[in-house]
Amino acid sequence: MELRHLSAFLAVAEELHFGRAAKRLQMAQPPLSQQIRQLEKELGVQLFERNTRSVRLTSAGDSFLQPVRTVLDDLDTAVRAARAAGRGEYGRVGIGFAGASSRETLPLLTRAVRAAHPAIELVMTGQTYANVALARVADGSLDLGFVRLPVTQPGVVCRVIDEEVLVCALPFDHPLAAREEIPLGALAGEPFVSFPANTGSTVRDAMVEACESAGFNPRVVQEAPDSYTILALVAAGVGVTLTVTSVQHIQQNGLVYRPLAGPPIRRQAALAWRADNPSAALRAVLAVAERALPTPVH
């Protein structure tokens, strides 16, 4: 038994006329009649009572009709699902991000994906520092990561979605808080609060690099796992920190932000993925991201 036999039976059963059924199937009537005879022979039952004037279902044919409809409907659903998955309309995409710095960009992407492809499941992994996200994209355990440049892992490509600037966060009653800009050198000797070392935070890397360029190593007296906790500790007077403009939405009593003096220290935020990732769902998400998170013109 082949699917063409079931399609032939359904057409004749619904039309109750071999000529109309053949036209519907875009075939000649004799081959259609032959397919019905083959099907009846295989089943060992007569499906239609026919004469020169009429065609009607036998009791066996009537019992056969609904299961055949179900089989063909299920097949159509399977075909459409496979084609939709091939276009990226179905599937799962794993995304790594760090909460505070992705506060604005991540919802823009997720809402746009849900609107365009509601059957794509986004599996979100939070508190994934940029370097960790990059490593997990490289090893294939994440499909997409919110990262910062530079991206040097072989096989990983990226697209810039935002540009951030390094700023200073300090207690509101700190002597330097009265200044409009903070010279980096003025922070030498200050206690710092920051992300843990060797956890993949590019913000900590940028802070250390900036301080070293000003001639000193930052003295980190307290570490915390996320920007919210770090800035709460700064507001409490534990120390100062260097952070990025994307977290300035975090407002705490006792906390102020000040730009650094001199040329802005810029960091590019990006989306990263493996060039050889075969996921059609990922390609669909990337296409949506082009619209939801366009690369800044500058």
Side-chain angles (χ1 to χ4, degrees):
M1 188 183 304
E2 300 178 18
L3 287 172
R4 62 191 177 95
H5 294 126
L6 299 183
S7 297
F9 165 77
L10 182 62
V12 175
E14 291 180 343
E15 298 291 342
L16 293 178
H17 191 283
F18 276 81
R20 290 195 298 269
K23 185 176 181 180
R24 169 173 155 181
L25 295 171
Q26 298 182 332
M27 62 187 299
Q29 185 173 331
L32 175 60
S33 299
Q34 183 180 8
Q35 288 182 16
I36 296 299
R37 287 195 297 271
Q38 289 172 345
L39 181 60
E40 290 176 325
K41 182 178 180 181
E42 182 162 349
L43 291 173
V45 296
Q46 185 178 349
L47 298 172
F48 297 99
E49 291 181 359
R50 45 209 185 260
N51 55 44
T52 56
R53 290 178 296 180
S54 66
V55 176
R56 67 185 183 90
L57 286 165
T58 64
S59 59
D62 189 60
S63 298
F64 194 49
L65 178 57
Q66 188 54 50
V68 167
R69 281 197 179 114
T70 300
V71 168
L72 293 177
D73 285 346
D74 287 347
L75 174 63
D76 181 63
T77 299
V79 169
R80 286 187 285 109
R83 288 173 177 167
R87 294 191 299 267
E89 295 172 4
Y90 286 84
R92 176 180 295 183
V93 176
I95 302 178
F97 67 99
S101 59
S102 302
R103 173 180 176 267
E104 294 186 1
T105 52
L106 182 66
L108 290 174
L109 177 61
T110 56
R111 290 191 188 107
V113 171
R114 282 199 299 270
H117 304 292
I120 291 181
E121 179 185 0
L122 299 180
V123 182
M124 314 303 296
T125 304
Q127 283 201 347
T128 307
Y129 299 126
N131 287 339
V132 173
L134 198 52
R136 292 193 59 188
V137 167
D139 68 20
S141 59
L142 282 176
D143 296 301
L144 189 64
F146 282 78
V147 304
R148 289 188 179 89
L149 270 54
V151 171
T152 58
Q153 277 80 349
V156 176
V157 293
C158 68
R159 182 177 63 80
V160 173
I161 59 171
D162 196 11
E163 185 172 72
E164 304 167 305
V165 175
L166 214 60
V167 296
C168 181
L170 61 166
F172 81 104
D173 56 355
H174 192 285
L176 293 173
R179 299 193 183 190
E180 292 186 2
E181 296 181 331
I182 309 294
L184 267 171
L187 299 175
E190 291 287 338
F192 276 77
V193 183
S194 189
F195 293 95
N198 303 318
T199 54
S201 168
T202 57
V203 173
R204 174 157 179 152
D205 293 344
M207 180 189 77
V208 172
E209 181 182 337
C211 292
E212 288 178 344
S213 70
F216 70 96
N217 290 315
R219 180 169 61 89
V220 178
V221 298
Q222 181 77 49
E223 295 179 335
D226 57 74
S227 293
Y228 296 99
T229 307
I230 289 170
L231 294 169
L233 292 169
V234 171
V238 175
V240 303
T241 195
L242 298 186
T243 188
V244 286
T245 46
S246 62
V247 305
Q248 285 184 273
H249 64 275
I250 301 175
Q251 298 293 328
Q252 306 244 6
N253 290 332
L255 174 70
V256 295
Y257 299 96
R258 294 291 181 265
L260 296 173
I265 302 173
R266 302 183 186 277
R267 288 293 182 271
Q268 284 75 41
L271 292 175
W273 65 95
R274 283 195 63 90
D276 60 358
N277 189 322
S279 169
L282 172 62
R283 292 195 297 273
V285 169
L286 291 173
V288 172
E290 289 273 0
R291 303 188 296 272
L293 301 174
T295 298
V297 174
H298 60 279

